[in-house]
Amino acid sequence: MAAVGSVNMLGPAGLPPAMSFTNTSVSDSPAPGTDTRGCENGALMDSFGIFLQGLLAMMAFSILMLKRFREPKHERRPWRIWFLDTSKQAIGMLFIHFANVYLSDLTEEDPCSLYLINFLLDASLGMLLIYAGVRAVSAIVEWRQWESLRFGEYGEPVQCTAWLGQCILYILIMMFEKVLIMLVLLIPQWKKLALLNPIQNPDLELAIVMLIVPFFVNALMFWVVDNFLMKKHRTKAKLEEREEDSRGNSKVRYRRALSHDDSESESPKWAGSGL
């Protein structure tokens, strides 16, 4: 009976069953074509992703504070005006950020790569669209003489309704920019562009997407957009016009004074000749 039991434990030709070999080979090595990406859906809004976003917000805020201290003293904005200017930009950037996060989670591709593509397009092509939008809106505001909607001007004393109107205008510009960027992303070639595929560590990939790259790009982007939304450029233009006008008026007055003096100096000659 013992011999029969040993024979039953063996397969054909005295070999063990093939099932034991196949189980070990399947469990040790992944099947070909398996998705080994590091960033999964929902990773942008997990605890580590939210921490990186909060850290990036603090760093961006410090960049705007540094810009204020770099302004000339005679043009430096009061803290209240600076806060009103930068809060418009902050609200617009939050809208763009969460729109990118939402769009990235809708895809079956690597969400971190898609978020990075969205972000880089917003910082390049989107910057030009924002500039064009601000210039177009400012031209309409000047044409219609809507003083409360001039970017960077809030009245004396400061009126919250002026800030609210300018904030709504800026958000509309950002919505227009985001819609155009989404149309650009409909090009099929963008899906083939996987920027972060070589990175297998999900935390490292998330740090690159949410902190490292955005910090350097946002430092430039926030600095430039703040110049769009502040009052400095328009004030300089007005001062130059006033200086030119004042110089022209002074020249006219000087010429009038000279002509008046000449006439007075010539009058005794005519009087002497009459005598």
Side-chain angles (χ1 to χ4, degrees), residues 3-259:
V4 174
S6 62
V7 172
N8 291 336
M9 293 296 292
L10 298 176
L15 294 176
M19 194 65 188
S20 60
F21 294 101
T22 57
N23 287 340
T24 55
S25 62
V26 171
S27 60
D28 292 340
S29 62
T34 304
D35 187 7
T36 58
R37 69 185 182 186
C39 186
E40 299 292 338
N41 286 336
L44 300 176
M45 292 302 294
D46 63 3
S47 57
F48 184 61
I50 293 175
F51 167 74
L52 292 177
Q53 295 171 47
L55 183 60
L56 178 63
M58 294 177 59
M59 296 170 69
F61 188 75
S62 63
I63 290 294
L64 291 174
M65 292 184 66
L66 175 63
K67 182 181 181 299
R68 179 187 179 274
F69 287 113
R70 293 284 297 175
E71 295 173 359
K73 289 185 178 181
H74 63 280
E75 295 180 357
R76 186 173 298 168
R77 292 165 289 177
W79 282 109
R80 179 183 296 182
I81 302 299
W82 174 85
F83 176 77
L84 294 176
D85 287 342
T86 55
S87 61
K88 291 181 294 187
Q89 183 176 180
I91 293 173
M93 291 302 177
L94 284 176
F95 168 77
I96 293 296
H97 170 73
F98 286 111
N100 290 340
V101 170
Y102 176 75
L103 294 173
S104 301
D105 285 336
L106 291 180
T107 181
E108 296 180 357
E109 307 294 331
D110 184 1
C112 287
S113 293
L114 185 58
Y115 178 88
L116 185 60
I117 293 171
N118 270 284
F119 176 77
L120 293 177
L121 284 175
D122 288 327
S124 54
L125 178 60
M127 179 73 68
L128 298 176
L129 295 174
I130 293 171
Y131 174 75
V134 171
R135 290 296 299 268
V137 169
S138 299
I140 295 173
V141 168
E142 290 295 331
W143 175 54
R144 301 293 298 179
Q145 292 298 313
W146 293 330
E147 296 184 359
S148 61
L149 296 181
R150 289 171 178 163
F151 286 116
E153 298 186 12
Y154 308 101
E156 282 291 340
V158 174
Q159 300 178 2
C160 294
T161 54
W163 173 86
L164 181 61
Q166 296 175 30
C167 189
I168 292 174
L169 283 180
Y170 184 67
I171 292 176
L172 291 175
I173 293 172
M174 300 298 284
M175 292 175 64
F176 169 74
E177 179 266 341
K178 195 64 216 174
V179 169
L180 292 183
I181 295 297
M182 289 171 60
L183 294 177
V184 173
L185 285 173
L186 292 178
I187 301 174
Q189 281 72 17
W190 290 112
K191 295 182 180 180
K192 300 178 182 179
L193 184 62
L195 301 178
L196 302 174
N197 271 0
I199 301 175
Q200 301 299 325
N201 189 332
D203 292 339
L204 176 60
E205 185 176 0
L206 199 60
I208 292 174
V209 170
M210 285 291 181
L211 183 64
I212 299 175
V213 174
F215 170 72
F216 293 102
V217 178
N218 282 340
L220 175 63
M221 192 173 180
F222 286 179
W223 201 290
V224 174
V225 173
D226 188 52
N227 287 332
F228 297 164
L229 301 179
M230 64 186 296
K231 185 182 176 182
K232 184 175 73 172
H233 292 296
R234 187 173 181 274
T235 304
K236 277 188 173 180
K238 274 194 167 183
L239 288 175
E240 290 176 357
E241 290 178 1
R242 289 177 182 175
E243 287 179 359
E244 291 178 358
D245 294 340
S246 62
R247 288 175 183 174
N249 293 333
S250 62
K251 288 181 180 179
V252 172
R253 291 174 183 173
Y254 181 69
R255 289 175 183 174
R256 289 178 180 175
L258 284 178
S259 61

